[in-house]
Amino acid sequence: MIGRRCVNDLGRTACWQESFAGLADFPNVFCIVNETFQPERETKMTFLTRINHLVFVLLLTLALPVIAWGQQYTPEQILKVVPSQADVPCDVPTDAEIANCKIVQFKEGSYKGIGLVKPDGATPLRVWCAPEGSQKVEQIRYYRNGVEIFRDILGRECRWLNDAGSRWGVLESGTKRIASWKSLSPEEATAEIVAALKTNDVSRYKAVALTADDVKTLGVQDPLASELLRQIEGVDAGFDALVARLKLPSTIVWGAFNGSRPALLPADKNGLVADLAAYFNSSVVLMNPENAADSYQLFIGDLVRVGATWKIIGLPAGDEYGSGKNEASVTSVLFPSQSDMTVSPDAAGDYNSVAEQLNDAYRQLESATPENYAALCENAYNLLLTLAYKNPNEETTIVTQAADLVFTGIQSGLFPKGTEILAQLNDAYKDSSNSELVAHIRLRKIDGDFYSLTQQSPPPKIGDLEKAQTRHTEELAAFAEEFPNTVAGAHALMYLANDQEYLQEDDQAINYYSTVVKHFPDDPIGKKAQGALNRLQGEGKPFVVSPWNFLEGGTLNLNDYKGKETVIFIWASWQPDDVQKMQSLAKSRSINVVGVSLDATPDEATAFIKAFGSPLPWKNVCLEGGLDGPCALELGVQNVPMMILLDADANLVRANVMSVDDLSVLLGK
């Protein structure tokens, strides 16, 4: 059926083949080029499609060409090259293991190179690679427990990946120092703040502080703009004095980020170019690993999101570490109505003791093995519940985190008891007056029950998977009907609507999207649902999009494409196979193509296009924000690829073609 899901859900396929030949054609010279690959993001597919695609990818992998290298490298030589950053807990084999490690050939997407694997011949430790056609190493990849956790894009950038976090740093020219950030979560941003204050490193601090350029980028207007600039100007003048006042010991570490649900300043009410996401009056818990009772709460104040990076406004508040003044009167720049709040944790000593134990539990989880993961996960969950009990003001945030932790364990396949725990948590909170928390836990339970079946060993039969998916969809529909005005309910409705689009049941998808718009008209999720409605309800009418700027220059105007059928091709760099298919289709058919990349930043899309191998026969749009950015919201897109087909008069013909193969069939009619 045209429109059913046919996407690369597996994303990255690596071809490893043992070779002791070395690297004659791969000089030990590092070049500086842009990164062209982003880790796969989850797409929603029926399990039959997933399984069929797995068979296809396995066959494709077996057919990949073998790359021959000549010069020999030893494991010791490869291991001498270390990450550019200090906090990379990658696997390092023992001396006894090194002797039995193997050098293998590596092929993944458009990258080739060599890898160092453990004595089992399969578990990767390091990879040196570059795009096909290049003769110089571009990337060095580091692994832990067989999963890539860090990537040096030599001389240019560095990235923490998978369970090591989401940091993406841009290096200062000619050094290993991170000058700015492309991606940084609130937790990671506050950890950088703590590290900078502890080491009296103002440059490191300013890399995660809001700048005057950021204020312009966000489109902030006076009087707020003037206040932000005043705070920014105070960083250089006040940093040394703040460090001297705090006197943070060198032994302390970042323990936890404390912030309520992120707030949103809507553009239409604040004179902004776009909605502004922020945390107000946030804080972090600082821990002393050598003394669980020695902890401190540092009040950060407001954080704002600029692109994919969270940044602090000005300087934080706080008294000398260990002074006993574990409270602060915090003034919010973005939310004056929340100003002059006195924040003080209940039973600070007892609370901080539990928080320290939780911090240790998370550190142990980071290096967990399949054998001890379940016990460590359950321990961290129990500590979170204890913390929630001791700090009722943060109960919603902490219990939400606990449910998310258990759900992640279920998805990993290493925590089968997680379904039982989520059921218990659901029972404990089902009668709570906090509908948002009740809904979040319930949704995690529904999804956890479903994913636990998929992780069974041996795998369940196809018929059982089909029944499980049907049951999952029915439970989500009932859940969304019960909690339509909660954030969790809105996410369930978006999931259901997306499924209906894949199945070409557009009328039902419209019903789901309409409910989201009804309850969340001003939130990003509501705006994305409205974009989907505009798309689905526009067939047969002239199709109009904003005059976005092309990466290659010029402005998008669909009237310029009249005269031939036009395809709006919505893509991302983590699905390179779809781009290649569209490139072939565009060359073989008399059609126009307009590319819309949902990569997180224009730089990512531009780097991918440059490294793709051959020029793309169409122009591309890419705005900041990716799947949460302006393009995705206006078009109502949740996954890639998606194609929108227009006739020669720029009227909408098909609002949702879900694979390039389906598009080829449509164009052939």
Side-chain angles (χ1 to χ4, degrees), residues 253-258 283-299 321-327 344-361 363 383 386-391 394 398:
V253 296
W254 179 94
F257 170 70
N258 290 332
S283 66
V284 295
V285 177
L286 305 181
M287 308 287 190
N288 183 349
E290 299 173 0
N291 182 359
D294 181 14
S295 58
Y296 175 79
Q297 188 164 200
L298 175 66
F299 293 91
Y321 187 94
S323 65
K325 299 178 182 179
N326 206 14
E327 61 178 31
S344 180
D346 293 326
D350 194 22
Y351 173 89
N352 289 330
S353 175
V354 177
E356 167 62 16
Q357 295 176 57
L358 179 62
N359 187 47
D360 287 339
R363 282 197 291 264
L383 287 169
T386 303
L387 208 62
Y389 174 77
K390 293 181 178 297
N391 189 9
E394 294 293 334
I398 298 171

Side-chain angles (χ1 to χ4, degrees), residues 3 41 92 94 115 130 179 184 218 221 299 308 330 362 404 421 439 485-486 523 596-597 607 622 628 633 643 650 666:
R41 302 179 185 177
V92 178
T94 64
L184 208 60
L218 294 171
Q221 306 297 314
F299 293 91
V330 184
Y362 275 127
D404 292 345
I421 289 177
N485 59 345
T486 65
D523 286 7
V596 177
S597 167
C622 184
D628 297 315
L633 266 59
M643 284 131 286
L666 270 177

Side-chain angles (χ1 to χ4, degrees), residues 188-198 205 208 298 300 303 312 316:
E188 292 163 331
T190 51
E192 282 293 308
I193 291 167
V194 171
L197 292 171
K198 189 170 69 170
Y205 185 89
V208 72
L298 175 66
I300 297 296
L303 295 176
I312 186 173

Side-chain angles (χ1 to χ4, degrees), residues 533-604:
L533 287 175
N534 296 341
R535 173 170 48 80
L536 292 173
Q537 295 175 328
E539 291 190 358
K541 304 173 186 177
F543 193 69
V544 180
V545 297
S546 295
W548 296 318
N549 292 328
F550 286 117
L551 296 173
E552 298 84 357
T555 303
L556 172 59
N557 184 343
L558 291 176
N559 289 327
D560 296 341
Y561 291 85
K562 288 184 176 180
K564 291 194 293 187
E565 288 180 300
T566 297
V567 176
I568 300 176
F569 174 47
I570 304 163
W571 61 276
S573 61
W574 64 85
Q575 293 283 21
D577 291 346
D578 296 306
V579 179
Q580 190 168 27
K581 286 183 178 181
M582 178 55 74
Q583 183 185 51
S584 299
L585 184 63
K587 290 179 179 179
S588 65
R589 303 293 180 97
S590 179
I591 57 173
N592 297 316
V593 177
V594 175
V596 177
S597 167
L598 295 188
D599 282 298
T601 66
D603 286 346
E604 287 184 51

Side-chain angles (χ1 to χ4, degrees), residues 478-499:
F479 167 81
E481 186 173 350
E482 183 178 357
F483 296 97
N485 59 345
T486 65
V487 174
H491 282 288
L493 286 165
M494 295 295 283
Y495 179 97
L496 291 166
N498 194 61
D499 264 4

Side-chain angles (χ1 to χ4, degrees), residues 92-113:
V92 178
T94 64
D95 291 342
E97 290 173 329
I98 291 175
N100 294 310
C101 288
K102 297 177 173 63
I103 307 295
V104 300
Q105 293 181 17
F106 171 83
K107 176 74 170 68
E108 182 175 271
S110 61
Y111 278 74
K112 68 177 182 180

Side-chain angles (χ1 to χ4, degrees), residues 334-350:
L334 298 175
F335 303 91
S337 63
Q338 304 291 339
S339 296
D340 301 323
M341 297 172 58
T342 298
V343 185
S344 180
D346 293 326
D350 194 22

